[in-house]
Amino acid sequence: MAMTSDDLFRLFETLDIPVRTYQHEPTFTVEEGRELKASMPGGHSKNLFMKDKARQLVLISAEAQTKLKLNRLHNVIGTGRLSFASPELMVEHLGVQPGSVTAFALANDTGHHVRFILEKTLSDSDPMNLHPLRNDMTTAISRADFDRFLAHTGHSCDVVDFSGLD
């Protein structure tokens, strides 16, 4: 069974990872969250769950204002051409619904089927602001503690600078 946001917060407590969580109206797009984000320090994420024709799954977490050229991402990260993964694959591997995709969902990828890409601008942010498995909350976590979270899940991240895609 997939981890819930309550499970995630308990995990943070177990790992002694301090976080700050803000409750808000559900947001489904970067634009919908613009006002909310203005009052929260740090980098804010947008997330893409994608796959290539070989069914390699990729989760990209980028700073919300980063321009990503979807037709060129594969050249930078070394995959086949990418398309959005289906909601079914999202639920199966990340345990979340569309609109709630987040790097924290890697805790649900216990089979380690998802490759994680962290965009450089977001990686350089401290704190990082991510949905805690649902889109009516945003959780701020330090960059160092995010690395501890990733290590606990058994995932690594490739930090990629997408600024050269212009």
Side-chain angles (χ1 to χ4, degrees):
M1 176 167 257
M3 180 178 282
T4 67
S5 58
D6 288 339
D7 297 330
L8 180 66
F9 295 133
R10 281 191 289 278
L11 175 61
F12 291 148
E13 285 179 24
T14 299
L15 297 175
D16 197 27
I17 293 176
V19 295
R20 181 169 183 193
T21 299
Y22 304 82
Q23 291 197 290
H24 50 77
E25 291 297 315
T27 57
F28 294 91
T29 66
V30 169
E31 191 58 41
E32 287 177 359
R34 189 174 307 278
E35 233 178 85
L36 165 75
K37 292 171 185 170
S39 65
M40 296 172 60
H44 298 272
S45 68
K46 67 179 172 186
N47 299 278
L48 306 173
F49 184 53
M50 308 189 83
K51 66 175 180 61
D52 66 10
K53 287 188 181 194
R55 292 189 49 94
Q56 179 178 342
L57 300 174
V58 179
L59 174 62
I60 300 171
S61 289
E63 202 284 322
Q65 300 309 313
T66 300
K67 303 285 189 231
L68 297 173
K69 305 272 187 186
L70 298 183
N71 62 342
R72 298 181 54 199
L73 289 175
H74 67 285
N75 293 327
V76 177
I77 65 172
T79 63
R81 289 184 76 81
L82 294 165
S83 61
F84 288 100
S86 69
E88 294 79 18
L89 280 174
M90 186 181 300
V91 170
E92 177 184 347
H93 292 284
L94 297 178
V96 295
Q97 298 293 324
S100 297
V101 180
T102 172
F104 290 143
L106 292 167
N108 286 321
D109 179 35
T110 57
H112 300 96
H113 298 286
V114 178
R115 178 178 170 200
F116 181 53
I117 306 290
L118 183 60
E119 182 267 332
K120 184 176 181 344
T121 305
L122 184 61
S123 175
D124 290 346
S125 299
D126 202 0
M128 295 170 49
N129 294 289
L130 310 166
H131 287 311
L133 307 176
R134 47 193 277 186
N135 66 355
D136 62 349
M137 298 173 147
T138 298
T139 297
I141 187 170
S142 76
R143 180 65 175 90
D145 285 334
F146 180 72
D147 283 342
R148 290 180 49 223
F149 163 79
L150 281 179
H152 176 79
T153 69
H155 288 83
S156 61
C157 71
D158 297 323
V159 176
V160 175
D161 183 352
F162 290 113
S163 63
L165 289 181
D166 298 347

